[in-house]
Every structure is written in structure tokens, then in C-alpha cells.
Amino acid sequence: MAEIYHDEDANLSIIQSKKVAIIGYGSQGHAHALNLRDSGVDVVVGLRPGSKSIAKAEEAGIKVASVPDSVKGADVVMILAPDQYQRTIWTEDIEPNIKEDAAIFFAHGFNIHFGYIKPAAGHDICMVAPKGPGHTVRRTYEEGRGVPVLVCVEQDASGQALDLALSYAAAIGGARAGAIKTSFREETETDLFGEQAVLCGGVTQLIEYGFETLTEAGYQPEMAYFEVLHEMKLIVDLINEGGLTKQRWSISDTAEYGDYVSGPRVITPNVKDNMKGVLDDIQSGAFAKRFIEDQNEGGPEFHRLRDEHAAAPIEKVGQEIRKMFAWNTENLDTDYTEGSAAR
């Protein structure tokens, strides 16, 4: 069983005695910065000149500086920029300016585990990774609750790296819910696998195939959309609340019976074999290499795939269907092809 720490296992005064630089002010960056500040921590946000986030951070009362200036006096540097940009920011802005004994924190192990960032031996290298989006991390903190976090240490130069990570976890509210001890390798490889094989790649491909199967059989696209995509939220919410058992308890007997007898016909054992192939590519570094090499060229494969999937028939049908939902009108004009909300 995993080791799980809570507030009583963490010494908040440790992080309160440090100067913390948060690199990035996106989904996670704003939540970490605000929660740390409200926990009595001296925080500065490091942003590149011209960043649209500068005004947002300053309006929230957070100190802002350039990335080099933000890290010069920092005892802890949390890097929350997107994976593909971290190594450049590290090489150009952080490594030349960081204190020799400053701790380096991440919320995902990609660049450390695959060797794209290699700090010197004098640094603690830690991870505090909330298992939820930044707005949830912030909202639950303000409510006196928290989002569970993963914590781990890759390099313990000070001999107290885990204590520092737990203190940071408590300051952002994560230890209220629970801080689960893991490793950079385990977090990185399971996170990438979950995204690719189930949560993102697996689910989206299953939805698209379901839509194509129904429309190719002559059913109306609108009906197909409702049955294979719209109702997905209901099912996922039930699973999130009480696992697969609650989901099956909540649906009709007809749906539950179909789950048991037809699910294995669609998701056959060869799918598990394919998943093992995906995991092999993650563990070997082949996926990371493909992603970074594509990003180095400006992301031609990435952008081609984004455009292809955005143009899929199910997306066009969905745009019209969602106009029927009065509660969803605030999102109707959003352009989702320009970048990730996680930035």
C-alpha cells in the first residue's frame, strides 16, 4: 500500500521560512502561487517579458519578476511551464541564475525522468503534483479542503527534501486530502500511460469509433452524438463518485447487463496487448523522444493531428448540439485549436 501523509505529518513552517519562485502562472501556476501566499509563504512568479499572465498575477496581488530575477534569491523553484518548454527555460533562464543549494520542484516528472533537465548535485529535486486542475486546487483550498497530491524526491542533497516537499504540499492544501508518496519514474510513466491508453487517447478514440459505427449504419448524427459522447459525463461522474460498482448500480439493468456481455466484445484482450505496447514506448523513452523531436521542429505532427481531429464529423455535430444547452453558452465561442488550457 502507498504511504499517505496528511497535515499532521507536515511542518508548514519549513516552507514558510523559504522564498519560493513559481515559474509560470497558468492552470497550476496561479493555484500554487495564491495558495502558498495565503499560507504565509513569500512567493514571486517568474514570467517572460510580454506574458499575458503578468497582469493577472499582479491583479491578484502576487509579486512578478522575470524568470532569471525570480530565481536568483529563491530557496525553492517550482517549474510549472509546459513540458516541452521546461528544458529551454531551465537552460536559458534558471540554471545560470539559481542558487547552488536551491530546491527544484516539479508537478510532473517528464523532464527529470527522461533526462531533459539535469540539475547539479547540490539541489534537492522534488515533486508535488496535485491530482486535479488548478482551478480545483485553488477553489478547494479556499473552502478549507484540498486536492490529493503526489509527493516524491529524486535527489536529496539537503537530507531533508521529503520534509520540504511535504511542507509545500501542506501549503497548497494537498496534505489536507492526502499526499501520496511515489517516485518520479512511477508518476511519469503511469501519468503518460493513463492519458494515452485510457483517459484521453483511449476514451476519445472509443467515442469517435462509436459515432462512426452508428452514423455509417444510417442513424442520425445527432442521435449518435447524444448516445456516445453527451452521456459520457454522467457515466464518468458516477465512476468518480463511487467507482465502477456505483456506476453499474446507478444505470438500468439493461445497461448493466450490456456492460458485462458486450464490453469484452469491444475491448478485447488484444486491446490490453496494445496498451502494453504503449507502456513499452513510454518506459523506453520512445514516446518522449518522438514528442520532443516534433516540438523541436515546431510541432508539425502535433498540429496536423490537432487539426485533423478538430475537423472530425462528431466535432461539427457537437458544436450545433451544444447550442441547445443554455448552461453551456459561455463556452460556445471558445477556440480550442490554439493551445492547451493547462498552460
Side-chain angles (χ1 to χ4, degrees):
M1 296 293 290
E3 292 184 63
I4 302 177
Y5 302 92
H6 295 89
D7 275 343
E8 58 267 26
D9 303 306
N11 182 353
L12 188 60
S13 67
I14 296 175
I15 197 67
Q16 288 174 331
S17 70
K18 309 292 184 182
K19 293 182 178 180
V20 179
I22 302 294
I23 309 305
Y25 198 73
S27 176
Q28 288 292 332
H30 90 281
H32 286 236
L34 293 171
N35 290 5
L36 286 167
R37 181 201 62 189
D38 291 350
S39 291
V41 179
D42 184 359
V43 180
V44 60
V45 170
L47 294 169
R48 288 190 162 178
S51 170
K52 296 179 181 178
S53 296
I54 293 175
K56 296 178 183 178
E58 290 178 340
E59 288 172 7
I62 296 291
K63 292 182 292 184
V64 178
S66 67
V67 176
D69 287 343
S70 71
V71 303
K72 284 178 181 176
D75 302 302
V76 176
V77 177
M78 168 59 95
I79 304 175
L80 292 172
D83 291 332
Q84 65 268 38
Y85 303 133
Q86 287 187 11
R87 70 194 191 284
T88 302
I89 297 171
W90 168 258
T91 302
E92 295 179 357
D93 296 330
I94 298 177
E95 189 174 25
N97 297 289
I98 194 170
K99 296 196 303 184
E100 291 184 358
D101 61 349
I104 306 163
F105 275 45
F106 297 84
H108 180 39
F110 184 96
N111 280 280
I112 291 295
H113 178 59
F114 292 118
Y116 292 107
I117 293 177
K118 298 179 180 178
H123 300 288
D124 287 344
I125 303 174
C126 306
M127 184 193 305
V128 178
K131 299 309 293 179
H135 67 270
T136 305
V137 174
R138 178 58 180 163
R139 174 175 53 80
T140 55
Y141 176 92
E142 292 180 301
E143 295 170 348
R145 300 181 295 117
V147 170
V149 297
L150 304 180
V151 295
C152 56
V153 174
E154 181 75 4
Q155 184 168 283
D156 188 2
S158 69
Q160 299 176 322
L162 181 59
D163 290 337
L164 179 60
L166 290 174
S167 184
Y168 185 106
I172 65 170
R176 296 172 180 173
I180 304 169
K181 188 178 181 182
T182 181
S183 68
F184 270 67
R185 173 183 177 272
E186 184 175 53
E187 184 278 335
T188 302
E189 293 178 357
T190 58
D191 183 77
L192 292 176
F193 176 80
E195 291 169 350
Q196 295 173 32
V198 182
L199 303 178
C200 300
V203 167
T204 57
Q205 197 63 58
L206 191 65
I207 289 172
E208 289 184 16
Y209 281 159
F211 181 84
E212 291 170 4
T213 299
L214 287 175
T215 55
E216 289 168 6
Y219 297 102
Q220 297 180 80
E222 293 80 5
M223 291 297 296
Y225 178 89
F226 274 114
E227 298 304 332
V228 304
L229 190 152
H230 176 72
E231 294 188 18
M232 179 66 72
K233 184 180 186 305
L234 168 65
I235 297 301
V236 171
D237 284 348
L238 290 170
I239 292 172
N240 188 59
E241 291 169 8
L244 299 177
T245 299
K246 179 171 182 178
Q247 177 256 328
R248 287 166 172 152
W249 173 80
S250 302
I251 59 179
S252 69
D253 289 348
T254 312
E256 183 181 358
Y257 183 70
D259 177 343
Y260 299 137
V261 302
S262 297
R265 294 179 63 190
V266 176
I267 309 299
T268 56
N270 71 294
V271 173
K272 186 175 179 180
D273 291 336
N274 293 338
M275 286 182 167
K276 291 178 179 178
V278 170
L279 183 57
D280 286 342
D281 283 350
I282 291 169
Q283 292 172 328
S284 70
F287 168 78
K289 182 174 183 290
R290 178 177 176 178
F291 173 66
I292 292 299
E293 288 182 350
D294 183 61
Q295 290 293 313
N296 286 343
E297 298 297 322
E301 182 182 37
F302 177 76
H303 291 294
R304 175 179 60 78
L305 293 170
R306 173 186 281 170
D307 291 343
E308 288 177 359
H309 284 272
I314 191 172
E315 292 298 271
K316 303 304 180 184
V317 173
Q319 288 173 7
E320 297 303 314
I321 290 290
R322 288 189 292 273
K323 291 177 182 178
M324 300 167 59
F325 306 146
W327 62 87
N328 198 44
T329 54
E330 64 185 55
N331 295 320
L332 291 181
D333 296 324
T334 302
D335 184 354
Y336 297 111
T337 64
E338 292 301 315
S340 170
R343 295 181 186 175

